[in-house]
Amino acid sequence: EDKVVQSPLSLVVHEGDTVTLNCSYEVTNFRSLLWYKQEKKAPTFLFMLTSSGIEKKSGRLSSILDKKELFSILNITATQTGDSAIYLCAVESGYGGSQGNLIFGKGTKLSVKP
Amino acid sequence: DSGVTQTPKHLITATGQRVTLRCSPRSGDLSVYWYQQSLDQGLQFLIQYYNGEERAKGNILERFSAQQFPDLHSELNLSSLELGDSALYFCASSPRARINTGELFFGEGSRLTVL
């Protein structure tokens, strides 16, 4: 059965800290891995990763994928209180011309204290 | 604002009842996805429609059904409701059948409480 496991499930840090969120997966026919940020309600897209070893970066956030070891990490440097959210990892699986479905992990709840 | 509209935002009903959740995708998006988010299960994919046709099916119960109409809005029907159906139901849309850009646009969700 396809699965996506995120760790830790929750994390409390102070402003200015650097955090690393983990996502491991076991899926058949991997297509891509995605990170989302969910603050209050709707998840918002952060990154999409398809190739190993290529870092995606947006401001203080960065992410990288390891397709051999089947995991990805999301780094947040110099954290701010506005980074407090649930970070969701999702993997798209599928094959041939069929639609890839997103399998989500349970998320990591990050709390950044002032 | 993602451009995806879901109604109602909140819904409280009793066990055994039936409810309908509605979703209007972003203008121009042909794919609509439904997800269920509960505290212990995270986001679970239910079903996807593309241009009116069912495209992919996930962990959707037989008591649940969905459809996408010619104007591309979609409805998720939940019947014979049970306490365990209480959850946040998200609709998301994307332009094409596959998530080519990796970006799904999520609505704000409909929170269903079954008492």
Side-chain angles (χ1 to χ4, degrees), chain B residues 76-106:
Chain B
L76 178 67
N77 300 298
L78 315 174
S79 61
S80 302
L81 286 168
E82 302 175 359
L83 295 176
D85 297 328
S86 296
L88 193 52
Y89 291 84
F90 282 109
C91 170
S93 73
S94 68
R96 287 169 287 274
R98 269 202 61 212
I99 313 165
N100 286 323
T101 64
E103 191 163 1
L104 282 184
F105 296 90
F106 282 84

PDB file of all heavy atoms in Angstrom, chain B residues 76-106:
ATOM      1  N   LEU B  76     -20.397  17.028  -4.000  1.00  0.00           N
ATOM      2  CA  LEU B  76     -20.084  15.800  -3.283  1.00  0.00           C
ATOM      3  C   LEU B  76     -21.273  15.496  -2.386  1.00  0.00           C
ATOM      4  O   LEU B  76     -21.647  16.322  -1.555  1.00  0.00           O
ATOM      5  CB  LEU B  76     -18.809  15.968  -2.448  1.00  0.00           C
ATOM      6  CG  LEU B  76     -18.378  14.775  -1.600  1.00  0.00           C
ATOM      7  CD1 LEU B  76     -17.936  13.608  -2.493  1.00  0.00           C
ATOM      8  CD2 LEU B  76     -17.227  15.175  -0.667  1.00  0.00           C
ATOM      9  N   ASN B  77     -21.884  14.349  -2.608  1.00  0.00           N
ATOM     10  CA  ASN B  77     -23.048  13.940  -1.835  1.00  0.00           C
ATOM     11  C   ASN B  77     -22.636  12.895  -0.814  1.00  0.00           C
ATOM     12  O   ASN B  77     -22.018  11.881  -1.152  1.00  0.00           O
ATOM     13  CB  ASN B  77     -24.112  13.348  -2.772  1.00  0.00           C
ATOM     14  CG  ASN B  77     -24.564  14.349  -3.807  1.00  0.00           C
ATOM     15  OD1 ASN B  77     -25.117  15.391  -3.476  1.00  0.00           O
ATOM     16  ND2 ASN B  77     -24.308  14.046  -5.070  1.00  0.00           N
ATOM     17  N   LEU B  78     -22.996  13.150   0.428  1.00  0.00           N
ATOM     18  CA  LEU B  78     -22.675  12.234   1.523  1.00  0.00           C
ATOM     19  C   LEU B  78     -23.996  11.771   2.137  1.00  0.00           C
ATOM     20  O   LEU B  78     -24.804  12.604   2.569  1.00  0.00           O
ATOM     21  CB  LEU B  78     -21.835  12.946   2.586  1.00  0.00           C
ATOM     22  CG  LEU B  78     -20.671  13.820   2.088  1.00  0.00           C
ATOM     23  CD1 LEU B  78     -20.024  14.562   3.248  1.00  0.00           C
ATOM     24  CD2 LEU B  78     -19.644  12.981   1.360  1.00  0.00           C
ATOM     25  N   SER B  79     -24.228  10.473   2.154  1.00  0.00           N
ATOM     26  CA  SER B  79     -25.513   9.980   2.653  1.00  0.00           C
ATOM     27  C   SER B  79     -25.306   9.019   3.816  1.00  0.00           C
ATOM     28  O   SER B  79     -24.186   8.560   4.077  1.00  0.00           O
ATOM     29  CB  SER B  79     -26.284   9.295   1.526  1.00  0.00           C
ATOM     30  OG  SER B  79     -25.571   8.197   1.034  1.00  0.00           O
ATOM     31  N   SER B  80     -26.417   8.721   4.491  1.00  0.00           N
ATOM     32  CA  SER B  80     -26.393   7.816   5.661  1.00  0.00           C
ATOM     33  C   SER B  80     -25.230   8.176   6.571  1.00  0.00           C
ATOM     34  O   SER B  80     -24.414   7.327   6.943  1.00  0.00           O
ATOM     35  CB  SER B  80     -26.277   6.359   5.195  1.00  0.00           C
ATOM     36  OG  SER B  80     -27.339   6.023   4.349  1.00  0.00           O
ATOM     37  N   LEU B  81     -25.167   9.448   6.917  1.00  0.00           N
ATOM     38  CA  LEU B  81     -24.005   9.963   7.621  1.00  0.00           C
ATOM     39  C   LEU B  81     -23.778   9.286   8.963  1.00  0.00           C
ATOM     40  O   LEU B  81     -24.730   8.949   9.693  1.00  0.00           O
ATOM     41  CB  LEU B  81     -24.146  11.472   7.813  1.00  0.00           C
ATOM     42  CG  LEU B  81     -23.922  12.296   6.541  1.00  0.00           C
ATOM     43  CD1 LEU B  81     -24.374  13.730   6.747  1.00  0.00           C
ATOM     44  CD2 LEU B  81     -22.468  12.242   6.130  1.00  0.00           C
ATOM     45  N   GLU B  82     -22.492   9.101   9.262  1.00  0.00           N
ATOM     46  CA  GLU B  82     -22.074   8.513  10.522  1.00  0.00           C
ATOM     47  C   GLU B  82     -21.192   9.518  11.255  1.00  0.00           C
ATOM     48  O   GLU B  82     -20.662  10.451  10.653  1.00  0.00           O
ATOM     49  CB  GLU B  82     -21.301   7.218  10.258  1.00  0.00           C
ATOM     50  CG  GLU B  82     -22.089   6.191   9.488  1.00  0.00           C
ATOM     51  CD  GLU B  82     -21.262   4.967   9.127  1.00  0.00           C
ATOM     52  OE1 GLU B  82     -20.054   4.927   9.474  1.00  0.00           O
ATOM     53  OE2 GLU B  82     -21.821   4.041   8.501  1.00  0.00           O
ATOM     54  N   LEU B  83     -21.017   9.280  12.559  1.00  0.00           N
ATOM     55  CA  LEU B  83     -20.197  10.205  13.345  1.00  0.00           C
ATOM     56  C   LEU B  83     -18.803  10.355  12.746  1.00  0.00           C
ATOM     57  O   LEU B  83     -18.225  11.441  12.724  1.00  0.00           O
ATOM     58  CB  LEU B  83     -20.087   9.711  14.793  1.00  0.00           C
ATOM     59  CG  LEU B  83     -21.382   9.672  15.607  1.00  0.00           C
ATOM     60  CD1 LEU B  83     -21.118   9.078  16.988  1.00  0.00           C
ATOM     61  CD2 LEU B  83     -21.995  11.063  15.734  1.00  0.00           C
ATOM     62  N   GLY B  84     -18.286   9.252  12.249  1.00  0.00           N
ATOM     63  CA  GLY B  84     -16.933   9.249  11.692  1.00  0.00           C
ATOM     64  C   GLY B  84     -16.781  10.029  10.404  1.00  0.00           C
ATOM     65  O   GLY B  84     -15.656  10.214   9.928  1.00  0.00           O
ATOM     66  N   ASP B  85     -17.877  10.478   9.834  1.00  0.00           N
ATOM     67  CA  ASP B  85     -17.794  11.282   8.617  1.00  0.00           C
ATOM     68  C   ASP B  85     -17.496  12.744   8.928  1.00  0.00           C
ATOM     69  O   ASP B  85     -17.253  13.537   8.013  1.00  0.00           O
ATOM     70  CB  ASP B  85     -19.115  11.205   7.829  1.00  0.00           C
ATOM     71  CG  ASP B  85     -19.412   9.791   7.365  1.00  0.00           C
ATOM     72  OD1 ASP B  85     -18.451   9.037   7.082  1.00  0.00           O
ATOM     73  OD2 ASP B  85     -20.607   9.440   7.291  1.00  0.00           O
ATOM     74  N   SER B  86     -17.529  13.091  10.198  1.00  0.00           N
ATOM     75  CA  SER B  86     -17.193  14.467  10.591  1.00  0.00           C
ATOM     76  C   SER B  86     -15.756  14.752  10.181  1.00  0.00           C
ATOM     77  O   SER B  86     -14.831  14.030  10.553  1.00  0.00           O
ATOM     78  CB  SER B  86     -17.342  14.635  12.103  1.00  0.00           C
ATOM     79  OG  SER B  86     -18.678  14.460  12.506  1.00  0.00           O
ATOM     80  N   ALA B  87     -15.591  15.792   9.400  1.00  0.00           N
ATOM     81  CA  ALA B  87     -14.263  16.103   8.849  1.00  0.00           C
ATOM     82  C   ALA B  87     -14.348  17.413   8.092  1.00  0.00           C
ATOM     83  O   ALA B  87     -15.423  18.001   7.934  1.00  0.00           O
ATOM     84  CB  ALA B  87     -13.801  14.990   7.901  1.00  0.00           C
ATOM     85  N   LEU B  88     -13.184  17.835   7.620  1.00  0.00           N
ATOM     86  CA  LEU B  88     -13.107  18.986   6.719  1.00  0.00           C
ATOM     87  C   LEU B  88     -13.001  18.434   5.308  1.00  0.00           C
ATOM     88  O   LEU B  88     -12.130  17.596   5.030  1.00  0.00           O
ATOM     89  CB  LEU B  88     -11.868  19.808   7.081  1.00  0.00           C
ATOM     90  CG  LEU B  88     -11.680  21.203   6.522  1.00  0.00           C
ATOM     91  CD1 LEU B  88     -12.889  22.081   6.749  1.00  0.00           C
ATOM     92  CD2 LEU B  88     -10.444  21.840   7.146  1.00  0.00           C
ATOM     93  N   TYR B  89     -13.897  18.834   4.445  1.00  0.00           N
ATOM     94  CA  TYR B  89     -13.895  18.347   3.069  1.00  0.00           C
ATOM     95  C   TYR B  89     -13.387  19.459   2.163  1.00  0.00           C
ATOM     96  O   TYR B  89     -13.966  20.544   2.101  1.00  0.00           O
ATOM     97  CB  TYR B  89     -15.301  17.891   2.656  1.00  0.00           C
ATOM     98  CG  TYR B  89     -15.713  16.641   3.380  1.00  0.00           C
ATOM     99  CD1 TYR B  89     -16.278  16.708   4.655  1.00  0.00           C
ATOM    100  CD2 TYR B  89     -15.507  15.383   2.818  1.00  0.00           C
ATOM    101  CE1 TYR B  89     -16.630  15.563   5.349  1.00  0.00           C
ATOM    102  CE2 TYR B  89     -15.856  14.230   3.502  1.00  0.00           C
ATOM    103  CZ  TYR B  89     -16.412  14.329   4.768  1.00  0.00           C
ATOM    104  OH  TYR B  89     -16.746  13.189   5.449  1.00  0.00           O
ATOM    105  N   PHE B  90     -12.292  19.150   1.475  1.00  0.00           N
ATOM    106  CA  PHE B  90     -11.687  20.121   0.575  1.00  0.00           C
ATOM    107  C   PHE B  90     -11.993  19.775  -0.869  1.00  0.00           C
ATOM    108  O   PHE B  90     -11.998  18.611  -1.263  1.00  0.00           O
ATOM    109  CB  PHE B  90     -10.166  20.127   0.727  1.00  0.00           C
ATOM    110  CG  PHE B  90      -9.665  20.853   1.926  1.00  0.00           C
ATOM    111  CD1 PHE B  90      -9.129  20.155   2.993  1.00  0.00           C
ATOM    112  CD2 PHE B  90      -9.702  22.239   1.986  1.00  0.00           C
ATOM    113  CE1 PHE B  90      -8.658  20.822   4.111  1.00  0.00           C
ATOM    114  CE2 PHE B  90      -9.226  22.915   3.099  1.00  0.00           C
ATOM    115  CZ  PHE B  90      -8.705  22.201   4.161  1.00  0.00           C
ATOM    116  N   CYS B  91     -12.196  20.814  -1.619  1.00  0.00           N
ATOM    117  CA  CYS B  91     -12.217  20.717  -3.068  1.00  0.00           C
ATOM    118  C   CYS B  91     -10.965  21.414  -3.581  1.00  0.00           C
ATOM    119  O   CYS B  91     -10.517  22.423  -3.018  1.00  0.00           O
ATOM    120  CB  CYS B  91     -13.477  21.411  -3.586  1.00  0.00           C
ATOM    121  SG  CYS B  91     -13.516  21.640  -5.359  1.00  0.00           S
ATOM    122  N   ALA B  92     -10.389  20.870  -4.623  1.00  0.00           N
ATOM    123  CA  ALA B  92      -9.239  21.507  -5.258  1.00  0.00           C
ATOM    124  C   ALA B  92      -9.426  21.449  -6.755  1.00  0.00           C
ATOM    125  O   ALA B  92     -10.133  20.573  -7.269  1.00  0.00           O
ATOM    126  CB  ALA B  92      -7.940  20.804  -4.852  1.00  0.00           C
ATOM    127  N   SER B  93      -8.806  22.383  -7.454  1.00  0.00           N
ATOM    128  CA  SER B  93      -8.907  22.334  -8.916  1.00  0.00           C
ATOM    129  C   SER B  93      -7.543  22.526  -9.550  1.00  0.00           C
ATOM    130  O   SER B  93      -6.612  23.055  -8.922  1.00  0.00           O
ATOM    131  CB  SER B  93      -9.893  23.380  -9.439  1.00  0.00           C
ATOM    132  OG  SER B  93      -9.371  24.700  -9.358  1.00  0.00           O
ATOM    133  N   SER B  94      -7.431  22.071 -10.766  1.00  0.00           N
ATOM    134  CA  SER B  94      -6.225  22.287 -11.547  1.00  0.00           C
ATOM    135  C   SER B  94      -6.626  22.386 -13.017  1.00  0.00           C
ATOM    136  O   SER B  94      -7.697  21.925 -13.393  1.00  0.00           O
ATOM    137  CB  SER B  94      -5.209  21.160 -11.336  1.00  0.00           C
ATOM    138  OG  SER B  94      -5.669  19.947 -11.891  1.00  0.00           O
ATOM    139  N   PRO B  95      -5.752  22.964 -13.834  1.00  0.00           N
ATOM    140  CA  PRO B  95      -6.152  23.214 -15.225  1.00  0.00           C
ATOM    141  C   PRO B  95      -6.343  21.949 -16.062  1.00  0.00           C
ATOM    142  O   PRO B  95      -7.218  21.898 -16.910  1.00  0.00           O
ATOM    143  CB  PRO B  95      -4.984  24.047 -15.782  1.00  0.00           C
ATOM    144  CG  PRO B  95      -4.298  24.603 -14.591  1.00  0.00           C
ATOM    145  CD  PRO B  95      -4.474  23.591 -13.505  1.00  0.00           C
ATOM    146  N   ARG B  96      -5.499  20.951 -15.796  1.00  0.00           N
ATOM    147  CA  ARG B  96      -5.502  19.783 -16.671  1.00  0.00           C
ATOM    148  C   ARG B  96      -5.832  18.514 -15.900  1.00  0.00           C
ATOM    149  O   ARG B  96      -6.090  18.543 -14.707  1.00  0.00           O
ATOM    150  CB  ARG B  96      -4.134  19.645 -17.361  1.00  0.00           C
ATOM    151  CG  ARG B  96      -3.890  20.674 -18.449  1.00  0.00           C
ATOM    152  CD  ARG B  96      -2.449  20.661 -18.902  1.00  0.00           C
ATOM    153  NE  ARG B  96      -1.567  21.242 -17.917  1.00  0.00           N
ATOM    154  CZ  ARG B  96      -1.308  22.538 -17.832  1.00  0.00           C
ATOM    155  NH1 ARG B  96      -1.854  23.387 -18.674  1.00  0.00           N
ATOM    156  NH2 ARG B  96      -0.496  23.004 -16.911  1.00  0.00           N
ATOM    157  N   ALA B  97      -5.799  17.399 -16.595  1.00  0.00           N
ATOM    158  CA  ALA B  97      -6.130  16.117 -15.975  1.00  0.00           C
ATOM    159  C   ALA B  97      -5.048  15.696 -14.996  1.00  0.00           C
ATOM    160  O   ALA B  97      -5.318  15.126 -13.960  1.00  0.00           O
ATOM    161  CB  ALA B  97      -6.317  15.042 -17.041  1.00  0.00           C
ATOM    162  N   ARG B  98      -3.805  15.962 -15.365  1.00  0.00           N
ATOM    163  CA  ARG B  98      -2.698  15.629 -14.467  1.00  0.00           C
ATOM    164  C   ARG B  98      -2.208  16.874 -13.776  1.00  0.00           C
ATOM    165  O   ARG B  98      -2.367  17.980 -14.268  1.00  0.00           O
ATOM    166  CB  ARG B  98      -1.546  15.017 -15.255  1.00  0.00           C
ATOM    167  CG  ARG B  98      -1.589  13.521 -15.361  1.00  0.00           C
ATOM    168  CD  ARG B  98      -0.204  12.983 -15.644  1.00  0.00           C
ATOM    169  NE  ARG B  98       0.706  13.332 -14.556  1.00  0.00           N
ATOM    170  CZ  ARG B  98       1.995  13.572 -14.727  1.00  0.00           C
ATOM    171  NH1 ARG B  98       2.531  13.515 -15.933  1.00  0.00           N
ATOM    172  NH2 ARG B  98       2.774  13.869 -13.714  1.00  0.00           N
ATOM    173  N   ILE B  99      -1.563  16.674 -12.643  1.00  0.00           N
ATOM    174  CA  ILE B  99      -1.058  17.820 -11.888  1.00  0.00           C
ATOM    175  C   ILE B  99       0.308  18.172 -12.467  1.00  0.00           C
ATOM    176  O   ILE B  99       1.333  17.985 -11.841  1.00  0.00           O
ATOM    177  CB  ILE B  99      -0.966  17.475 -10.391  1.00  0.00           C
ATOM    178  CG1 ILE B  99      -2.266  16.808  -9.935  1.00  0.00           C
ATOM    179  CG2 ILE B  99      -0.705  18.719  -9.564  1.00  0.00           C
ATOM    180  CD1 ILE B  99      -2.156  16.129  -8.605  1.00  0.00           C
ATOM    181  N   ASN B 100       0.330  18.680 -13.678  1.00  0.00           N
ATOM    182  CA  ASN B 100       1.595  18.907 -14.374  1.00  0.00           C
ATOM    183  C   ASN B 100       2.510  19.875 -13.666  1.00  0.00           C
ATOM    184  O   ASN B 100       3.706  19.685 -13.592  1.00  0.00           O
ATOM    185  CB  ASN B 100       1.327  19.414 -15.791  1.00  0.00           C
ATOM    186  CG  ASN B 100       0.830  18.305 -16.693  1.00  0.00           C
ATOM    187  OD1 ASN B 100       1.286  17.183 -16.576  1.00  0.00           O
ATOM    188  ND2 ASN B 100      -0.095  18.617 -17.557  1.00  0.00           N
ATOM    189  N   THR B 101       1.952  20.920 -13.157  1.00  0.00           N
ATOM    190  CA  THR B 101       2.780  21.921 -12.485  1.00  0.00           C
ATOM    191  C   THR B 101       2.936  21.604 -11.008  1.00  0.00           C
ATOM    192  O   THR B 101       3.619  22.302 -10.299  1.00  0.00           O
ATOM    193  CB  THR B 101       2.151  23.316 -12.604  1.00  0.00           C
ATOM    194  OG1 THR B 101       0.898  23.301 -11.921  1.00  0.00           O
ATOM    195  CG2 THR B 101       1.958  23.693 -14.054  1.00  0.00           C
ATOM    196  N   GLY B 102       2.297  20.561 -10.570  1.00  0.00           N
ATOM    197  CA  GLY B 102       2.345  20.212  -9.156  1.00  0.00           C
ATOM    198  C   GLY B 102       1.472  21.089  -8.294  1.00  0.00           C
ATOM    199  O   GLY B 102       1.515  21.003  -7.081  1.00  0.00           O
ATOM    200  N   GLU B 103       0.674  21.915  -8.908  1.00  0.00           N
ATOM    201  CA  GLU B 103      -0.061  22.874  -8.113  1.00  0.00           C
ATOM    202  C   GLU B 103      -1.562  22.613  -8.182  1.00  0.00           C
ATOM    203  O   GLU B 103      -2.168  22.705  -9.236  1.00  0.00           O
ATOM    204  CB  GLU B 103       0.236  24.289  -8.608  1.00  0.00           C
ATOM    205  CG  GLU B 103      -0.277  25.358  -7.676  1.00  0.00           C
ATOM    206  CD  GLU B 103       0.353  26.708  -7.942  1.00  0.00           C
ATOM    207  OE1 GLU B 103       1.167  26.824  -8.857  1.00  0.00           O
ATOM    208  OE2 GLU B 103       0.004  27.648  -7.229  1.00  0.00           O
ATOM    209  N   LEU B 104      -2.100  22.255  -7.047  1.00  0.00           N
ATOM    210  CA  LEU B 104      -3.528  22.183  -6.871  1.00  0.00           C
ATOM    211  C   LEU B 104      -3.963  23.433  -6.138  1.00  0.00           C
ATOM    212  O   LEU B 104      -3.296  23.877  -5.219  1.00  0.00           O
ATOM    213  CB  LEU B 104      -3.912  20.978  -6.020  1.00  0.00           C
ATOM    214  CG  LEU B 104      -3.927  19.590  -6.629  1.00  0.00           C
ATOM    215  CD1 LEU B 104      -4.436  18.597  -5.606  1.00  0.00           C
ATOM    216  CD2 LEU B 104      -4.762  19.555  -7.875  1.00  0.00           C
ATOM    217  N   PHE B 105      -5.086  23.990  -6.541  1.00  0.00           N
ATOM    218  CA  PHE B 105      -5.638  25.157  -5.858  1.00  0.00           C
ATOM    219  C   PHE B 105      -6.772  24.682  -4.961  1.00  0.00           C
ATOM    220  O   PHE B 105      -7.781  24.181  -5.456  1.00  0.00           O
ATOM    221  CB  PHE B 105      -6.118  26.178  -6.886  1.00  0.00           C
ATOM    222  CG  PHE B 105      -5.010  26.731  -7.719  1.00  0.00           C
ATOM    223  CD1 PHE B 105      -4.640  26.121  -8.914  1.00  0.00           C
ATOM    224  CD2 PHE B 105      -4.318  27.850  -7.309  1.00  0.00           C
ATOM    225  CE1 PHE B 105      -3.599  26.621  -9.678  1.00  0.00           C
ATOM    226  CE2 PHE B 105      -3.282  28.371  -8.072  1.00  0.00           C
ATOM    227  CZ  PHE B 105      -2.922  27.745  -9.262  1.00  0.00           C
ATOM    228  N   PHE B 106      -6.581  24.839  -3.671  1.00  0.00           N
ATOM    229  CA  PHE B 106      -7.551  24.344  -2.708  1.00  0.00           C
ATOM    230  C   PHE B 106      -8.542  25.421  -2.314  1.00  0.00           C
ATOM    231  O   PHE B 106      -8.194  26.590  -2.163  1.00  0.00           O
ATOM    232  CB  PHE B 106      -6.849  23.853  -1.437  1.00  0.00           C
ATOM    233  CG  PHE B 106      -6.207  22.504  -1.566  1.00  0.00           C
ATOM    234  CD1 PHE B 106      -4.932  22.376  -2.097  1.00  0.00           C
ATOM    235  CD2 PHE B 106      -6.873  21.361  -1.147  1.00  0.00           C
ATOM    236  CE1 PHE B 106      -4.334  21.126  -2.216  1.00  0.00           C
ATOM    237  CE2 PHE B 106      -6.278  20.109  -1.262  1.00  0.00           C
ATOM    238  CZ  PHE B 106      -5.017  19.993  -1.792  1.00  0.00           C
TER     239      PHE B 106
END
